Amino acid sequence: TLNAFMAQPRAQWLAVRAALTQLLARDGADPALRESAELRRRCLVPRAEVAMHLPAAIGDYTDFYSSREHATNVGVMFRGKDNALQPNWLHLPVGYHGRASSVVVSGTPVVRPKGQLQLDKADASKGTEHAPCRLLDFELEMGFFVGGPANRLGAPLEMDEAEDRIFGFVLCNDWSARDVQKFEYVPLGPFGAKNFATSISPWVVMAEALLPFRCATSAGSQAEPVPLPYLRDPNYSSYDVQLEVAITPAGGDRAAVVTTSNYRHMYWTAPQQLVHHSVTGCDMRPADLLASGTISGADASAYGSLLELCWQGTREVGPLCDGSTRKFLRDGDTVSMRGTCLHSSGYTLGFGECAGQVLAAATLPPPPPPP
């Protein structure tokens, strides 16, 4: 795993990245790798011949709720347009503690969870049944790994320290059981509806590699209200990462893209999430994973979840390659997420794929590949 490397100071990450860049560059300073086929054979392994694993042993996992467009959409559905955002939302990055043990690498199947489902949608007092989730959803997110030496318990991070503690970014699908969540989330937020699986891509794109793609957030600024001093970021911005989600039905021969979004659609950014997480004195450790929350744009084509795309079950999403449509995920569906940065000079930076197939409830998934 990358745990030991993540625990090093940022200067060490940058030194290793610079050395690798020189080794792999077409006109790099060391010609040995370029000129020796035997050395390349020993050092470079085709991706098709390897099994990818989680990039790190994740200590703690936290999921945020930081896209204003997404939070507004969900709020309109459940509370109406006039009360879409909760009173706290514009004052702090809302988040909850997830389950690190169920963070899985791309390609790992996801078993449809069971839980308590409300018998009467309009009347919770009529009780529940224990049954497979019927409203299984994806959530299009980005995540970042914390790096560097941990801050001491009781010593919050300052905004000017955040850059040195963000190691790199991955794609993230925080699978969600919407009907399980409906009954359980009051008063403490989601629990079983979110703890059964979170998929991430295996490739960690270092924060340094994203600097050429830094851009304004879709909010532009945070003026109404201005955040409290500890959350004010003089470099308030996000990254121009083009994101897409595709679904392949069981037996399908190709994926159908159902949404395209962008990481710029963040109101609360990665540095603000990290600093707020530590504001109470929480120690942030190397290989902790923090996820953005669902990333949605203003246009319906950029919504980051099926809940939004089908607008709470009132619209069909698709068609997929077999002509079928979706409101929520079916058994056998494979959800694939991709992220790409396109530079004006023509080069592309990719995040790889974050994918998972839905298995029927109570299915025993195959074992992971050996380490």
Side-chain angles (χ1 to χ4, degrees):
T1 68
L2 292 174
N3 289 65
F5 183 50
M6 289 179 178
Q8 299 301 309
R10 180 169 177 264
Q12 295 298 317
W13 315 336
L14 300 186
V16 171
R17 180 174 184 270
L20 289 174
T21 300
Q22 279 296 312
L23 284 173
L24 297 174
R26 186 185 302 274
D27 56 350
D30 186 347
L33 191 63
R34 182 171 65 251
E35 296 175 357
S36 171
E38 173 60 20
L39 187 58
R40 290 198 302 274
R41 186 190 65 79
R42 291 165 54 195
C43 295
L44 304 177
V45 181
R47 283 189 296 172
E49 297 179 8
V50 300
M52 302 302 296
H53 295 266
L54 283 174
I58 299 166
D60 283 298
Y61 166 56
T62 301
D63 190 30
F64 285 90
Y65 187 53
S66 291
S67 166
R68 184 171 184 170
E69 292 85 348
H70 171 68
T72 299
N73 287 339
V74 174
V76 168
M77 286 183 213
F78 295 104
R79 292 184 298 276
K81 185 176 180 180
D82 292 338
N83 298 297
L85 294 180
Q86 296 281 17
N88 65 348
W89 200 93
L90 291 170
H91 293 269
L92 53 83
V94 173
Y96 71 94
H97 294 290
R99 183 73 183 174
S101 67
S102 55
V103 178
V104 296
V105 72
S106 174
T108 305
V110 173
V111 177
R112 182 178 296 273
K114 292 183 176 181
Q116 291 198 34
L117 311 184
Q118 195 167 310
L119 290 171
D120 187 322
K121 293 181 180 179
D123 186 357
S125 68
K126 293 184 179 179
T128 62
E129 62 174 331
H130 179 229
C133 163
R134 300 185 185 106
L135 306 181
L136 183 60
D137 202 352
F138 64 77
E139 292 188 348
L140 173 60
E141 305 192 21
M142 298 279 293
F144 70 87
F145 280 99
V146 176
N151 57 301
R152 185 168 53 84
L153 184 66
L157 291 170
E158 302 291 340
M159 186 60 69
D160 61 6
E161 299 176 279
E163 186 178 67
D164 290 339
R165 298 299 310 279
I166 297 176
F167 177 79
F169 292 79
V170 293
L171 300 174
C172 179
N173 180 0
D174 197 41
W175 304 81
S176 183
R178 301 293 184 190
D179 43 359
V180 175
Q181 185 172 346
K182 177 180 175 62
F183 187 75
E184 74 174 9
Y185 83 100
V186 177
L188 293 180
F191 182 50
K194 305 283 286 187
N195 71 2
F196 59 95
T198 300
S199 301
I200 64 171
S201 54
W203 302 98
V204 183
V205 177
M206 294 182 68
E208 190 74 10
L210 289 174
L211 289 179
F213 305 98
R214 182 173 276 174
C215 67
T217 70
S218 57
S221 64
Q222 295 174 313
E224 296 183 8
V226 175
L228 292 178
Y230 80 93
L231 278 173
R232 294 175 194 166
D233 184 357
N235 299 311
Y236 177 66
S237 59
S238 188
Y239 299 104
D240 182 11
V241 184
Q242 298 179 22
L243 302 167
E244 71 172 36
V245 183
I247 299 175
T248 307
D253 59 358
R254 63 187 183 280
V257 175
V258 295
T259 189
T260 56
S261 189
N262 195 294
Y263 191 39
R264 65 182 296 268
H265 298 306
M266 300 297 294
Y267 186 84
W268 297 107
T269 65
Q272 291 175 316
Q273 291 165 347
L274 178 61
V275 168
H276 182 65
H277 201 313
S278 78
V279 70
T280 54
C282 175
D283 50 334
M284 306 303 296
R285 300 174 179 175
D288 284 350
L289 178 65
L290 278 61
S292 62
T294 305
I295 304 168
S296 295
D299 187 81
S301 65
Y303 292 169
S305 66
L306 283 172
L307 176 67
E308 296 165 275
L309 290 166
C310 79
W311 204 257
Q312 207 177 1
T314 62
R315 306 168 185 165
E316 297 291 337
V317 179
L320 306 185
C321 68
D322 60 357
S324 64
T325 58
R326 294 289 183 275
K327 292 181 178 177
F328 292 93
L329 296 170
R330 299 180 186 175
D331 293 345
D333 285 348
T334 296
V335 177
S336 304
M337 297 179 176
R338 293 186 178 275
T340 307
C341 300
L342 303 176
H343 196 268
S344 57
S345 65
Y347 82 85
T348 299
L349 186 154
F351 284 77
E353 183 181 44
C354 178
Q357 184 179 38
V358 178
L359 302 183
T363 302
L364 185 64

